[in-house]
Every structure is written in structure tokens, then in C-alpha cells.
Amino acid sequence: MRLFWSFTRQSFHSSAIYRFDFWLQLFSVFLMMYSVFWIWTILYHQRPGAFGISLEQMITYGVLGMALDTIFHPGRGPQMYIAQQIRSGAIDTDLMKPLDFHLHMLARHFGETLFRFSTLALPSLIIGYLFLDLQLPAGWAQGLLFVISLLLGFMVLFSLNFLLGLLAVVTLDIRSITWAYNGIVRFFAGQMVPLWVFPGFIGALAAVLPFKSIFYIPLSIYIGRLSGSEAWQAIGFQLVWICVLIPLGRLAWGRIHSRLVVQGG
Amino acid sequence: MISVRHLTKEFKRVKRKEGFLSGVRNLFSAEYTIKRAVDDISFEVREGEIVGYIGPNGAGKSTSIKMLSGILVPTSGHLEVNGIVPYKDRKANARQIGAVFGQKTQLWWDVPVIESLRLLKDIYKVSDRQYKRNLEIFNDLLELDTFCQTPVRQLSLGQRMRADLAAALQHDPKILFLDEPTIGVDIVAKEKLRTFIREINREFKVTVLLTTHDMWDIEKLCSRMLIIDHGQVIYDGSVEQIRDTYGGSRTLVVELEEEVADFSVPRAELVKSEGRKKWFRFNRLEASPSDLITQIGGRYPIVDLTVEEPEIEQLVRSIYQGQGRRTEVM
């Protein structure tokens, strides 16, 4: 646990430097939240009642989804770090440390995420609450369930990203795959559009894939679409995937370590 | 301290495909080339030694250091670092070794040096007392306090290397791997680094395995030298001995007053000629530079002259060519 805290502290030190970058990111998040707000307002105006929930709920879903994108963007996970270290050969310095590699990546990524949450996601949420009709969760219980499912969503995303990062160790380059991966994750995670709006087959596929753990489940719990036993079921779904993905990642790492090629030097 | 027996590492490299979705196609690719980077190497390093581990680029130096630090798993052979097999117990091994890779840093690029040291303190579970004591030593010997509040990206290369040494040593490792620690560093900073390495070796009995292309690093630091090429040990012995046996050839460069036709001098060989400049190679044991200068100067007026010591790569090559594939074990 101390390790997680150390990495978090380090993230705060390293990221606090680029002030201009920070304001630019905050501005672009706000822009995205604003667009989502208008798109749903217009769609609801044209076809009221077509999306299964109220406009306020849908705006909350969309705006929250955009705000959480600052921490859950699939293009900013451990796979980018691993790929970069592999490309530059600096992965040596990571493996030199007396740390379990999987845990090391988790702690590092956890620190970065916590940093981005407090500096980007939280301000965006406040802006959304003040200006864009973002509503508070339906109640304390619902809010607590949301936080739990958000943490589990983090674990699912981390595990998927870690597996993709391992691919970088094998192929030495994942730039072309990353692009497709980011698209798939964001689509099936229900970040832009909730899964119940998806048509038949795609909806059924999205319902079994792990991606919905990242955005759809926490967001639906937040707006109260999933509550009570349904919410617990969804959290169970997240737990099952975590129990599959973590051992898979660790197993894959064990296999891959023996064929690791360190570039350069 | 370090024991390596019949160590071999082969790399299977995927032949890269190009173009659209190359990453995906590489996944299904079955074309490999096999490269033997380390080929049946054996050596021992005793506690407290500083061993120069040298050889030309691509000889297998870094690969063997990576195996000794548990990063790479050997294809075959046996290795042990202070009783631990690195690839079997990477974490335990990591706690007893320190490493500096001259080309890479283990420090965080954007944060002050001291913050990286604090994080490493937590990673290595260094006690507060040990941390403070070591920091004092580093301030003393590396003048760490003059730049420990500066982000790594703003450091000079010499400072960065000193910071990396501090990072590698703060958990009191028994063994230190230095992979080209003086590369790109200016002469004054190099001297500081060498003094520090000598100091920690003497004071704390840290065993050092050092790769370098700088002959002076070897001469000033190492008692013993291991030369490898094409993944094999081709020399293992003292530094003095290698100078006497193989490093005998030097080059005298003379610049004459005017351009003259090539000429020969007894006991020296004209190896290069460029306008008014001539390069003569001679053996230290057969001829002295003053003899040669007298002989040449007697014939043509000399404007300028220098005597060049053989470069490390040259030395390695001459050993390699002279010895064939025979391994000399002392």
C-alpha cells in the first residue's frame, strides 16, 4: 500500500510541471462535455422518450462519461508506458527493481490515475454540476455503489491495458493496434452511448464483453438505471472479469518475460 | 561473488513485415532469425574486485549484464550472483545489485532528483537511517546536494550519471553493474565518477563489473579485464599484462614540412599517408618513438608529431585476430 502512495506522490510531482498542458486538457474536456450536453438536448427535442431514460439522466450519463474520460481514456494506460519503455530499451531499469512487474505497473498507473482524477476529473465534474445540468447520484447508497464500480472499472481497464502492453513486449510495437483498440474499448464500454441504445446483435455482444465494466456499469449505477440487485449483479459481472483478467495478465507476463528482448545497448 | 558457467543466450527475432496492419501481421508471422548474442561464456568475479568487461559493440556485454541482473533469461548455462540465480529469483537479486546504464536513466525525467531517490527508497524498502547516511555520503562524494532539487531533464550528463549512481547505490548493493557509465561525459566529470567508483569499492567493498569503451576507465579502475567478442570470452587477465602482450603497437603521426613520397623506416610500418602527414605503426618493445623521430627527422624536417595509443576496439581486435578462438584463463 505504501508503494501505491509513493507512486501517487511521484505522479503529483511529475505532472504538476506542465501547466499549459493542464489548462488545455481541462478546456478540451469542457468542450466535449458541452457537445454531449447539446447533442442529447437536440436528440431529445426531436424524439422525446426514444432512449428509455429522462433527458436529465442522459445528460448526466454523457457529461459524466466525458469527465471520466480524463482518467479512463484507453490511450493513456500502462500499455503506453510499457511500449515506450520497450521502444527505448529503458524497460531494463523497471525490471532492475525488486518489484513484481504487474504490481509495479498497477501502482504506477494507480498513482497517475489518482492524480488525473483530482486535477482533471474533479474540476470537470464541478464545472458540469454548475453549468451543464450534471446531477448528483440518486442517494448515498447509489453513490457508494458508483464509487465501488468505478474502482472495479479501473481494475478491468488496467488489466486489459496491461495485456495490450504485454503485446508490445512481443511485437515491440503496438502503435497500429492501439488505434483500433482505443476505438473498440470506447465503443463497447458505452462511453458515448449507453448500451441499451445499441441494436440487437451489437447490444448482446456488448453485454458479455468486459468493456462495459469501464463506463457503462458505473455510469448506469450513478444515474440510477441500475439499482438494488441489478447494481449488485453488475458489480458481480465486473468482479468475474477481474478474476479472469488478472491471472491471465500475470500468466502471460510470466511466459513473455522469458522471451523478452531488450532493444538497444 | 559472480559465477558464470557456459552461459549462452540466443535471440529469436521476428523478421519484420511492413505496411498496413504490420503489427497484427507480425503476430502471425513465423519467420525468425536466430542470433547467438552470448556463446558459452564462463568466468568468476571475486568479492571486492573491479572487473572491466569489454569488447566491441554487439559483442554480448550488455546481454550478459542483463542476464546477471535477471532481466533476461539465459538460453542455457548456469549463473549465480552471490548465491542467487538471477532469473529464478529476480526480486531477491535486484535487492543485492545496483546498476547504472549509461544510455538510460532510472530516474524520473520531470521530477527533482531527490523525489526519485525518495520513491526508490520506498521501492527498495530502505530505512530512514540508511537513507540519511547514504545521502550524506552522496553529498560528500558526488556533490549531490548541488543539484538534487533540479529535475533530471535539466541536468548535465555528468550530473545525471552521478544522480544515477546515487540511485543505484542507496540500497547498499553488494554488486554494482556499470554499463558505459562515462559515455559522453567530459573529462573532469569522468574523473569525478572514477574517483567515486574507486571510493565505494574501497570503503564499502562493492564488487563492480564495468563495461566501457574508454581505456582510461579500465586503466584507472580495474585490476582485471575480461574481453569478449562474438559472444565469447577471448581474454581474461590483468590489465598490465594485456598492455605488455597485446597493447604493444602504437602509431607515430608526423607532419612534415613539405609533401614527400612515401618512405620506409626500419622497425616501423607506414600505415597511412595523407599529404604531409604520415602514420607509422611500431611495436613498443622493438622500437622507441625517439629513435623513429631521429630517423625521420634526419631525412625530412618535422613540423609536428604525436604518438597514438591503441584504442580499446583496436586492442580487442588485435587480440581477437592474434588469439583466434582460444580462451585464455588466468
Side-chain angles (χ1 to χ4, degrees):
Chain A
M1 224 41 226
R2 186 184 178 85
L3 195 64
F4 281 68
W5 163 239
S6 304
F7 273 104
T8 306
R9 196 186 55 207
Q10 195 76 349
S11 288
F12 275 84
H13 279 295
S14 62
S15 317
I17 288 159
Y18 302 103
R19 220 165 285 149
F20 178 70
D21 191 47
F22 164 75
W23 287 109
L24 204 65
Q25 284 193 55
L26 199 60
F27 178 71
S28 75
V29 176
F30 179 71
L31 218 58
M32 291 305 284
M33 292 195 305
Y34 188 68
S35 341
V36 167
F37 170 81
W38 269 109
I39 288 168
W40 285 121
T41 307
I42 291 165
L43 286 173
Y44 266 73
H45 186 70
Q46 287 177 339
R47 297 183 61 189
F51 305 105
I53 53 173
S54 72
L55 175 61
E56 288 72 30
Q57 280 178 308
M58 192 57 104
I59 285 174
T60 299
Y61 187 104
V63 169
L64 193 58
M66 282 304 166
L68 292 181
D69 193 43
T70 53
I71 53 168
F72 280 176
H73 189 282
R76 215 180 273 108
Q79 81 278 23
M80 302 318 269
Y81 178 78
I82 296 173
Q84 174 208 322
Q85 296 294 86
I86 287 285
R87 210 155 46 224
S88 68
I91 193 88
D92 305 356
T93 62
D94 293 307
L95 297 175
M96 286 291 310
K97 301 194 165 72
L99 292 178
D100 178 81
F101 186 66
H102 184 254
L103 199 68
H104 177 189
M105 289 301 113
L106 182 64
R108 173 182 274 277
H109 189 57
F110 178 81
E112 274 166 28
T113 305
L114 206 60
F115 168 75
R116 293 183 67 81
F117 180 78
S118 42
T119 57
L120 285 169
L122 219 51
S124 321
L125 288 176
I126 292 167
I127 293 170
Y129 177 72
L130 292 176
F131 303 107
L132 297 173
D133 288 350
L134 178 72
Q135 296 182 325
L136 294 174
W140 280 110
Q142 207 70 10
L144 191 67
L145 286 179
F146 164 71
V147 173
I148 292 169
S149 70
L150 196 66
L151 284 170
L152 295 177
F154 167 81
M155 265 322 288
V156 171
L157 181 61
F158 168 79
S159 304
L160 289 167
N161 286 342
F162 183 75
L163 283 168
L164 184 64
L166 294 185
L167 204 59
V169 182
V170 181
T171 67
L172 300 183
D173 192 1
I174 49 166
R175 272 172 290 193
S176 48
I177 301 171
T178 303
W179 187 76
Y181 170 80
N182 291 353
I184 289 170
V185 169
R186 297 180 87 175
F187 180 77
F188 284 108
Q191 191 224 342
M192 321 245 194
V193 178
L195 297 194
W196 63 82
V197 179
F198 285 14
F201 170 69
I202 293 178
L205 189 62
V208 292
L209 290 175
F211 307 111
K212 73 171 184 180
S213 310
I214 304 159
F215 282 104
Y216 170 76
I217 293 177
L219 294 181
S220 300
I221 290 177
Y222 185 96
I223 63 167
R225 167 94 184 184
L226 293 175
S227 61
S229 65
E230 272 186 329
W232 284 109
Q233 246 171 22
I235 286 171
F237 176 88
Q238 289 178 308
L239 280 171
V240 168
W241 269 111
I242 290 170
C243 291
V244 172
L245 290 171
I246 289 181
L248 194 66
R250 297 187 63 87
L251 197 74
W253 166 246
R255 285 284 183 82
I256 280 166
H257 183 205
S258 64
R259 52 178 291 191
L260 179 64
V261 177
V262 177
Q263 302 237 88
Chain B
M1 207 62 176
I2 300 174
S3 155
V4 173
R5 265 175 283 140
H6 305 293
L7 188 67
T8 298
K9 176 73 186 175
E10 285 173 350
F11 285 121
K12 216 157 120 188
R13 284 229 152 101
V14 179
K15 271 189 194 162
R16 229 142 246 286
K17 296 205 170 89
E18 285 176 11
F20 184 63
L21 286 181
S22 56
V24 177
R25 285 201 292 148
N26 275 329
L27 283 181
F28 303 104
S29 171
E31 279 178 85
Y32 295 105
T33 48
I34 288 180
K35 200 202 159 213
R36 190 169 275 210
V38 170
D39 188 4
D40 195 19
I41 279 184
S42 301
F43 64 84
E44 302 271 334
V45 176
R46 285 180 298 276
E47 184 167 5
E49 270 191 304
I50 303 186
V51 175
Y53 195 49
I54 64 175
N57 292 325
K61 304 185 295 285
S62 297
T63 305
S64 24
I65 286 195
K66 281 166 196 164
M67 284 192 278
L68 287 170
S69 34
I71 296 172
L72 292 177
V73 180
T75 309
S76 66
H78 179 79
L79 76 169
E80 220 171 79
V81 177
N82 194 26
I84 293 175
V85 181
Y87 65 93
K88 280 192 185 146
D89 201 346
R90 182 177 67 81
K91 282 190 276 175
N93 187 49
R95 257 177 240 118
Q96 59 165 5
I97 61 167
V100 174
F101 301 104
Q103 323 250 32
K104 305 155 192 170
T105 179
Q106 63 161 325
L107 304 163
W108 271 251
W109 199 241
D110 288 326
V111 303
V113 175
I114 195 75
E115 292 303 332
S116 284
L117 293 183
R118 265 186 212 140
L119 178 65
L120 290 169
K121 169 184 181 286
D122 290 344
I123 288 176
Y124 284 94
K125 301 192 176 106
V126 175
S127 73
D128 290 338
R129 235 185 77 226
Q130 192 185 348
Y131 176 73
K132 262 198 201 126
R133 192 202 65 203
N134 281 341
L135 213 56
E136 264 166 43
I137 295 172
F138 299 145
N139 287 345
D140 234 30
L141 297 174
L142 294 169
E143 292 157 35
L144 195 70
D145 42 356
T146 58
F147 55 85
C148 69
Q149 298 297 339
T150 317
V152 174
R153 63 192 152 88
Q154 288 169 11
L155 296 182
S156 74
L157 198 55
Q159 289 173 326
R160 208 216 76 203
M161 230 56 111
R162 281 188 273 161
D164 256 308
L165 271 171
L169 286 165
Q170 71 159 331
H171 59 286
D172 294 334
K174 294 190 192 75
I175 299 147
L176 184 63
F177 297 126
L178 300 172
D179 196 356
E180 302 187 33
T182 59
I183 195 165
V185 175
D186 72 61
I187 303 168
V188 180
K190 261 185 193 175
E191 205 40 57
K192 277 188 196 161
L193 291 171
R194 286 179 197 136
T195 311
F196 177 73
I197 294 165
R198 228 180 2 240
E199 198 71 18
I200 55 137
N201 170 257
R202 201 182 306 144
E203 289 287 314
F204 307 104
K205 303 278 171 287
V206 178
T207 309
V208 181
L209 191 63
L210 164 87
T211 81
T212 184
H213 289 293
D214 189 333
M215 199 56 183
W216 285 107
D217 287 347
I218 300 287
E219 217 155 317
K220 298 219 160 174
L221 291 172
C222 305
S223 49
R224 199 174 129 212
M225 187 148 85
L226 273 165
I227 303 180
I228 66 168
D229 196 8
H230 297 284
Q232 292 189 310
V233 177
I234 55 173
Y235 179 82
D236 181 351
S238 77
V239 176
E240 293 80 35
Q241 201 199 358
I242 201 161
R243 285 250 132 192
D244 293 345
T245 325
Y246 304 101
S249 118
R250 293 175 184 195
T251 310
L252 174 71
V253 187
V254 290
E255 191 175 342
L256 304 171
E257 208 168 66
E258 50 200 52
E259 216 166 303
V260 295
D262 290 353
F263 57 92
S264 66
V265 180
R267 291 190 300 276
E269 184 195 353
L270 181 73
V271 285
K272 197 175 158 196
S273 170
E274 211 173 71
R276 294 186 294 135
K277 268 184 152 181
K278 311 276 175 203
W279 281 257
F280 289 97
R281 193 189 311 153
F282 64 97
N283 191 311
R284 198 159 58 108
L285 303 172
E286 289 171 12
S288 76
S290 63
D291 271 356
L292 295 177
I293 294 161
T294 324
Q295 283 180 37
I296 299 167
R299 274 195 251 179
Y300 309 103
I302 299 173
V303 185
D304 196 9
L305 58 88
T306 46
V307 179
E308 288 176 355
E309 287 276 339
E311 301 241 331
I312 184 80
E313 301 257 358
Q314 214 177 317
L315 209 62
V316 169
R317 211 178 307 128
S318 77
I319 291 168
Y320 183 62
Q321 284 160 353
Q323 289 294 110
R325 293 198 151 240
R326 190 159 68 85
T327 306
E328 189 142 324
V329 183
M330 300 292 298

